[in-house]
Amino acid sequence: MEKMKKTTGKLGNMFRTSGTRNGSYSVGLTVIVIAIVIVLNLVIGQLPENLRNIDVSSTKIYEITDTTTDLLDSLEEDVDMTVLAVRDDTDDRITTFLSKYGALSEHINIEWVDPVLHPSALTEYDTSENTIVISCEATGKSTTVSFDDILVPDMYSYYYYGSTTYTEFDGEGQLTSAVNYVTSDVEKTIYQTTGHGEGTLSTTITDLMDQNNYNLSEINLLMTTSIPEDCDLLLMYAPTTDLSDDETERLGNYLADGGKVMILLGDTNATELPNLESILEEYGMQAADGYIADPQRCYQGNYYYIFPQLSVSGDMADGISSEMVLLTNTHGMNLIDPARDTITTTGFMSSSDGAYAVTETTQEQGSYTLGAVAEETIASSDEDADTDSSEDDADETSDDSSDDTASEDTASEDTASEEVTSRLTVISAGSLIDSQITDTFTQLENTRVFMNAVTANFEGVQNVSVEAKSLQVEYNTVQYAGLFSLLVIFGIPAVVLIGGFVVWFRRRKA
């Protein structure tokens, strides 16, 4: 009995030691931490999917721009998105983005339909698997977006190596364009001129125009007697030869009747395009000789690669934040008095005061306009076709004064007047939308400035184009060796090692 008491006492003393107490404290703390983690997981698991996923991608593929949020905030009709795909087999990037996109508006309804379990759905929607059907019952319009349009595959890698990799993620651009299409009845037609050595629009630009539901067609002004009535904007991109006299007259008449024209000058001296230059001068823009060099706002010491100053407002400023635009082989313009007082010319892009217009023999310093808009409000009158016939009838019954008076009153009532505004937009560098710049420097706002300039020609139209986000891996590299690279390679590791040695030495002495 005494032995048992002694054994029990020894065991009790063991649990009263400081080591035992510390161990019990550690075990208890561990249990509490595990319980907290379990509870947090249960709570977070009940949250919506769009809140559970955090965008840690280097290119922010799940980040929604203001363009989309503004469009979705203004929605008044319900938009249904039917996803014809097996959800568990769908790429996580697509499912995550859809959940985040749908959470932005109560008017967006997303439904997943498994085409394996419901094969008739493919026939009902007349489409294929892995497709999103976007529709709006209020407008009766619908369209489709394929998964391949969202996750853009690398076809070179597929055909030559048999591997499937993706280069771009275009979820926002595709869905926002589709929502805009099914909820809006506005469609614009843009005619691009040909026959003057014009440049070819890159795929990036044509895709952005498709997202805005712009119909792009071509027109040769020498092969037509007039510009089509459905032309909402006449676009001339980087011409290398001049307009003929007939084309110049036709273009001038089109502007005088309230037309919209946008010109991007190419890599050609303005003196080689006298007819085109005459139209610019009529609207208050005089081309400067040579190319613009800007030592104050240049790219890595190359004076002819310049970052112009932007002074945009209204529709032109929509979505522009950094105001960083890169131009090369840039011509300049000087704003002069237009031919008529009714024309107002305003610059929206310019060089610094320290820029130079450089030719083979001269260098003229000054501030040069690189982009400008000229507007003119024109009062036009439309007469009803019946007016002429009424006047003829009045002549035949000239003996009856009352009939003659009635005819004149009818002619007066059928004559209606309205005001239209012509608009000429000129950008002095076609390189603004050169694919070598827009595809290489995707963080710049070249395409945004261009698309805003296009959209500004149309009333009640918003630029909803959103560029695809690259899926290429971004590496943190130091391009030029110097103090910064020495600090990263040697300085930081040395500080960590020295700090660790000091802590170890102090504890050893203690």
Side-chain angles (χ1 to χ4, degrees), residues 409-422:
D409 292 339
T410 302
S412 177
E413 290 176 359
D414 287 340
T415 301
S417 62
E418 62 176 351
E419 289 186 345
V420 293
T421 301
S422 64

